[in-house]
Amino acid sequence: MSDDLVTTEIDIAGANCPFCFNETLDRLRAEPGVVDAHASMNGQCLRIAHSGLPTGALVDLVRRHLHGVERSSAETVMVEVDAHEAALHCTHRHHE
């Protein structure tokens, strides 16, 4: 593993759309420089191992692709998620 590997945790409070959630993870994993990405909708956090990428670019990618859904009257509407870097100490059971 590279010496310049960084782990960034992003708070994704409000993310409850499974389609956007999975698409966002796929896009992060495809991003050059991303080594690994795991997330939990229940834990409302995302952990990214990356090298050579500014954290802001990762947060921007998450903000562009990750949404929540809410009921408004009789409609379901997409809402923005205020994704931001945070020290969450995410734990994801991805090694089982």
Side-chain angles (χ1 to χ4, degrees):
M1 233 178 246
S2 175
D3 288 337
D4 62 343
L5 188 66
V6 176
T7 299
T8 298
E9 294 179 331
I10 299 176
D11 182 335
I12 56 171
N16 63 358
C17 174
F19 302 108
C20 295
F21 184 80
N22 290 330
E23 177 192 2
T24 301
L25 274 175
D26 289 344
R27 288 183 181 263
L28 280 168
R29 290 175 179 147
E31 190 72 16
V34 170
V35 175
D36 204 2
H38 293 280
S40 169
M41 243 187 336
N42 287 337
Q44 297 286 273
C45 63
L46 194 144
R47 175 180 275 169
I48 308 161
H50 57 98
S51 178
L53 286 169
T55 299
L58 296 170
V59 171
D60 287 346
L61 185 148
V62 171
R63 283 185 182 154
R64 282 193 312 271
H65 296 285
L66 190 61
H67 300 91
V69 292
E70 290 182 357
R71 298 280 300 162
S72 175
S73 300
E75 296 180 329
T76 300
V77 295
M78 301 290 283
V79 294
E80 289 186 21
V81 172
D82 182 23
H84 57 276
E85 184 179 6
L88 302 169
H89 309 291
C90 300
T91 57
H92 307 289
R93 299 175 63 128
H94 60 276
H95 293 296
E96 294 180 9

